[in-house]
Amino acid sequence: METIVTITLMSIVLLAISSAIVFFYRTNASVLEQSGAITSARRGIEKAMKDLREATIAEDGSFPIVSAGPNSITFYADVDQDDSVERIRYDLANEVLSRYTLQATGTPPAYTGQETVEIISENVRNAVFATDVFSYFDVNGTELSSSPSPLDIKFITGTITVNINPDRAPEEFTLTSSATLRNLRVE
């Protein structure tokens, strides 16, 4: 009888220990995965703001900002330091923030052809929280509408919220960065 009780107690203890180990490994894997997503998102939003700071007149003479919306912005900038201005578009679709780049070609220069696509951040959950990725401000710091006139924009903030698995800890992580469009003249 004592042997059966001992075996039963040992089985319960071993089951509890193994369950705890499995739980800690799963939690650790989830935390590491979320950390990777946050690091990727941080690099992405910083890259977007760095690109926006370089917004400049296009090769064809177009104004630096083509269009601006709550989850997308298109502008011109020399982001690869090759003395040629590229058309850049950042766009959030289906929880993926992407960067689209198009080089000017031809004489006179024109922005036609295939864009190159780079995924900036995945698992972006702004839509779930009804949060815009981009917010726009005028020269006085007044927030503009979510689809402002490109001529009015002088300052931009970017905000993304990421979470690999919303059903498991850790919770959503929000990253915000900003850029002053330094190549635009304030009149």
Side-chain angles (χ1 to χ4, degrees):
M1 189 65 146
E2 292 175 5
T3 305
I4 293 174
V5 171
T6 304
I7 291 173
T8 303
L9 289 175
M10 289 297 284
S11 297
I12 292 171
V13 169
L14 287 174
L15 181 63
I17 290 172
S18 63
S19 295
I21 289 171
V22 168
F23 171 78
F24 289 125
Y25 273 115
R26 284 186 183 158
T27 301
N28 187 40
S30 177
V31 168
L32 288 174
E33 191 176 30
Q34 183 78 345
S35 295
I38 291 167
T39 300
S40 173
R42 180 175 292 123
R43 283 189 205 124
I45 198 74
E46 288 172 358
K47 183 176 194 173
M49 293 303 117
K50 181 180 179 227
D51 289 352
L52 280 161
R53 284 185 198 100
E54 299 298 325
T56 190
I57 302 295
E59 292 289 334
D60 64 1
S62 298
F63 187 73
I65 299 173
V66 177
S67 64
N71 295 310
S72 179
I73 185 166
T74 304
F75 59 97
Y76 297 103
D78 181 14
V79 295
D80 57 6
Q81 308 305 315
D82 65 354
D83 294 327
S84 174
V85 176
E86 295 81 32
R87 185 178 74 192
I88 309 296
R89 177 170 52 104
Y90 281 91
D91 185 53
L92 175 64
N94 301 318
E95 295 191 353
V96 177
L97 181 63
S98 301
R99 175 184 183 223
Y100 300 82
T101 306
L102 182 61
Q103 296 283 343
T105 57
T107 305
Y111 293 92
T112 58
Q114 187 69 28
E115 296 174 307
T116 58
V117 181
E118 176 186 1
I119 293 176
I120 297 301
S121 183
E122 296 179 303
N123 304 298
V124 177
R125 302 186 34 84
N126 286 40
V128 173
F129 298 102
T131 305
D132 295 340
V133 175
F134 300 105
S135 299
Y136 306 98
F137 300 85
D138 65 13
V139 68
N140 299 317
T142 305
E143 186 168 3
L144 302 169
S145 70
S146 60
S147 297
S149 165
L151 297 172
D152 296 334
I153 300 170
K154 303 300 180 220
F155 183 78
I156 300 172
T157 61
T159 303
I160 57 175
T161 301
V162 294
N163 192 349
I164 293 287
N165 185 349
D167 299 326
R168 194 184 289 174
E171 299 295 322
E172 282 75 21
F173 192 82
T174 301
L175 300 147
T176 301
S177 190
S178 60
T180 300
L181 304 179
R182 57 183 170 205
N183 292 327
L184 302 182
R185 282 190 285 232
V186 178
E187 300 175 12

